[in-house]
Amino acid sequence: MSSDSKTTSTTAIDASPIARLAGKAGLRRLSLLGALLLSALGCLTAVPAHAQDIQSSPSFVDDFKSFDRSRWYVSDGWNNGSHQNCTWSKGLVALSDGVLSLGFEKQKLKDREFACGEIQTKQRFGYGTYEARMKTDTGSGLNAAFFTYIGPSDKQPWDEIDFEILTKDTSKVQVNAYIAGKGKNEKLVEVPGGTDKAFNDYAFVWEKDSLRWYVNGQLVNTITDPAKLPSHAQKIFFSLWGSDTMKGWMGAFEDPGRKLSLQVQRVAFTALGEPCQFPESLVCSVKELGKTN
């Protein structure tokens, strides 16, 4: 599905004053929000109990006509560890005519030569359908991601569900899941037309007994092994970052010589069993989403 990018009326997004630390071993993301956010933001709201063993915040659709500060936290002034060659910067998170842009550019911040953008929800979500409409740039050594995550700094085991576009090859997206910090569920799948030529729809459906990934409405991967299914409510993230060291996975990093971006037109979460929230939603077209577990 295609749509041209929009580049006018850009508004920068200020970061939350709460700093986040990500000193986790390996590649993943730790946050310093944890229990403070839970107490500050209130109790999680349970969604339909007929299939819901995990507490979840309510369904939502965000088309980025404005920036919802009650929903999103902007990473600023730190990085995820030695593998990351950029510092998260609120200056690289902006709105432009209904498109959220996360940037990557040469800009020395602290001990890194590049700056990059990330946002994450303040709330946690459980079983349901997660959808994002995105367009990437191109560049070796970069990762443009839409994913969910929870981990030790939130006093939870590390669970994660990924769409990661390694922009060295924009013809594919990698899907993956981490359960209690263990991965090995990755799969590269084709994105017809490429991730950089047009906006594409990425979605996953997380149920008690299955996890399914979709690209532009087409099923591309399924996990049903109980040992490989997440079991903890997670936050939703978007990020664009680079690495000098992870050459085998992301490709050798090359200075792009210009500002790159990950553009997001829409993100939505529809709790399991609830009706679709917008006409293009996967929930409107995939009948089995309403089944009980």
Side-chain angles (χ1 to χ4, degrees):
M1 301 180 185
S2 65
S3 175
D4 293 333
S5 61
K6 302 173 184 177
T7 56
T8 59
S9 304
T10 301
T11 302
I13 303 299
D14 291 331
S16 161
I18 305 174
R20 198 186 80 170
L21 174 66
K24 182 167 60 155
L27 318 178
R28 301 293 92 176
R29 305 96 179 152
L30 288 179
S31 96
L32 201 62
L33 300 175
L36 290 176
L37 276 178
L38 284 178
S39 59
L41 295 169
C43 297
L44 293 171
T45 302
V47 299
H50 63 271
Q52 187 74 19
D53 295 335
I54 299 175
Q55 290 271 296
S56 176
S57 292
S59 302
F60 75 90
V61 180
D62 197 334
D63 57 9
F64 294 112
K65 291 180 180 177
S66 62
F67 193 78
D68 188 344
R69 298 176 186 279
S70 68
R71 174 173 295 131
W72 298 106
Y73 164 76
V74 180
S75 301
D76 186 58
W78 51 274
N79 61 68
N80 281 17
S82 60
H83 65 280
Q84 185 176 320
N85 69 0
C86 57
T87 299
W88 300 127
S89 170
K90 66 182 181 182
L92 288 172
V93 179
L95 293 183
S96 175
D97 291 347
V99 174
L100 172 78
S101 293
L102 303 180
F104 181 95
E105 68 178 359
K106 192 162 190 176
Q107 179 187 147
K108 185 171 178 60
L109 289 177
K110 297 190 174 180
D111 61 344
R112 300 293 193 268
E113 296 299 319
F114 293 86
C116 49
E118 179 185 70
I119 64 170
Q120 61 176 284
T121 58
K122 296 177 179 180
Q123 297 83 16
R124 306 179 191 183
F125 302 88
Y127 296 139
T129 301
Y130 297 72
E131 304 177 79
R133 184 166 174 80
M134 308 188 306
K135 181 181 179 182
T136 75
D137 226 312
T138 62
S140 185
L142 296 168
N143 186 321
F146 159 49
F147 63 100
T148 59
Y149 166 80
I150 202 71
S153 65
D154 299 294
K155 298 183 179 180
Q156 296 289 323
W158 169 12
D159 277 4
E160 183 172 342
I161 306 169
D162 294 331
F163 277 103
E164 293 180 294
I165 298 164
L166 311 177
T167 57
K168 65 179 182 179
D169 181 1
T170 55
S171 70
K172 298 178 176 65
V173 61
Q174 179 175 290
V175 299
N176 202 357
Y178 283 76
I179 313 303
K182 297 179 181 179
K184 305 297 185 182
N185 299 307
E186 65 272 8
K187 180 181 178 181
L188 279 173
V189 299
E190 296 288 331
V191 179
T195 68
D196 60 322
K197 299 297 191 296
F199 282 88
N200 291 276
D201 292 299
Y202 304 89
F204 63 84
V205 181
W206 176 21
E207 297 179 306
K208 186 176 181 179
D209 60 2
S210 69
L211 181 56
R212 306 190 300 277
W213 288 261
Y214 295 78
V215 175
N216 293 328
Q218 300 299 308
L219 180 65
V220 296
N221 193 42
T222 302
I223 292 176
T224 57
D225 181 348
K228 296 183 177 181
L229 295 173
S231 56
H232 298 83
Q234 302 174 40
K235 300 172 187 175
I236 299 171
F237 288 72
F238 292 95
S239 64
L240 176 62
W241 58 280
S243 176
D244 296 320
T245 61
M246 302 173 66
K247 299 176 183 178
W249 182 45
M250 294 170 55
F253 177 77
E254 299 173 2
D255 183 349
R258 62 184 178 90
K259 183 178 179 179
L260 303 182
S261 66
L262 166 63
Q263 297 176 300
V264 186
Q265 279 189 335
R266 179 178 58 230
V267 59
F269 167 74
T270 306
L272 191 64
E274 293 192 354
C276 63
Q277 303 183 84
F278 55 97
E280 302 84 2
S281 174
L282 185 70
V283 183
C284 300
S285 58
V286 182
K287 295 179 181 179
E288 62 265 27
L289 299 188
K291 72 180 181 180
T292 59
N293 288 311

